[in-house]
Amino acid sequence: MARPELFKFENYAASAHSEPNRYVGVRFSEEGVFLPEAGNTVVRHVVPGSGTETALIELRERLRALPWGHRFAFTDVPSLHMTVFEGVIETRRLREYWPKELSVDAPLEEATDYLAARLDDFEGPGPFDMRIAEVTPFGLSLTGATDADEKTARAWRDSLTEPFT
């Protein structure tokens, strides 16, 4: 069985993108170092010492070894995670991304308190596993390891919409 192509080079070639990367200065520096980004996001951390962590470390080393591997920015290993649901982010204060009962000018601490209270009794829809669907310069695109896992991951995102709005 043929392996799926996880990195589509032509999608990210410099010749296809004349504009500077929109994340430079926001998510990472010109040197490829991730910048702090204050906010409240639901993440699923990679378990230290797990097979997943080992595979991700191997993948990042293989990407770094490419002739243009220096153009990637990599998350520090202890910070490896999957974003399950992107909540309020300091650098993205737009009405459609901010709790409707708070001003988009509200301090982040106020948004944190508001969301924490709304998540007090929250219970997610259950465990799920993911697999890599695509490697991009911005990270890994993931999909459920099985159809059931994909449904559960989407159920998490759907269920988190209520407390974050």
Side-chain angles (χ1 to χ4, degrees):
M1 179 158 99
R3 287 181 56 181
E5 185 180 352
L6 294 179
F7 190 88
K8 297 175 179 75
F9 298 97
E10 65 279 1
N11 291 346
Y12 304 103
S15 61
H17 302 279
S18 59
E19 299 295 317
N21 185 304
R22 68 178 188 234
Y23 296 114
V24 173
V26 177
R27 304 233 22 227
F28 53 87
S29 71
E30 298 242 356
E31 295 77 31
V33 176
F34 276 91
L35 300 171
E37 192 169 34
N40 298 281
T41 298
V42 177
V43 300
R44 182 176 178 190
H45 287 281
V46 172
V47 176
S50 67
T52 298
E53 183 186 62
T54 300
L56 291 173
I57 291 169
E58 180 184 330
L59 174 60
R60 73 190 283 152
E61 294 311 312
R62 291 176 69 187
L63 289 170
R64 279 187 172 142
L66 294 170
W68 36 265
H70 64 283
R71 295 186 178 185
F72 285 101
F74 293 96
T75 304
D76 291 333
V77 172
S79 297
L80 290 173
H81 67 278
M82 177 189 93
T83 300
V84 176
F85 189 87
E86 192 169 277
V88 296
I89 307 294
E90 183 66 50
T91 58
R92 194 181 68 185
R93 289 177 169 266
L94 300 171
R95 175 67 1 221
E96 61 266 28
Y97 300 116
W98 209 258
K100 61 186 169 202
E101 294 184 18
L102 296 179
S103 163
V104 293
D105 297 324
L108 191 56
E109 296 77 22
E110 184 179 334
T112 298
D113 292 344
Y114 173 83
L115 294 171
R118 292 185 57 108
L119 289 166
D120 266 348
D121 297 321
F122 180 82
E123 288 190 34
F128 60 95
D129 291 315
M130 303 298 282
R131 66 175 173 78
I132 299 172
E134 184 180 9
V135 178
T136 80
F138 309 111
L140 304 176
S141 293
L142 303 176
T143 190
T146 66
D147 288 343
D149 288 320
E150 181 67 19
K151 286 178 184 170
T152 304
R154 290 184 181 279
W156 268 92
R157 293 173 183 140
D158 291 345
S159 65
L160 285 164
T161 299
E162 174 84 20
F164 276 83
T165 58

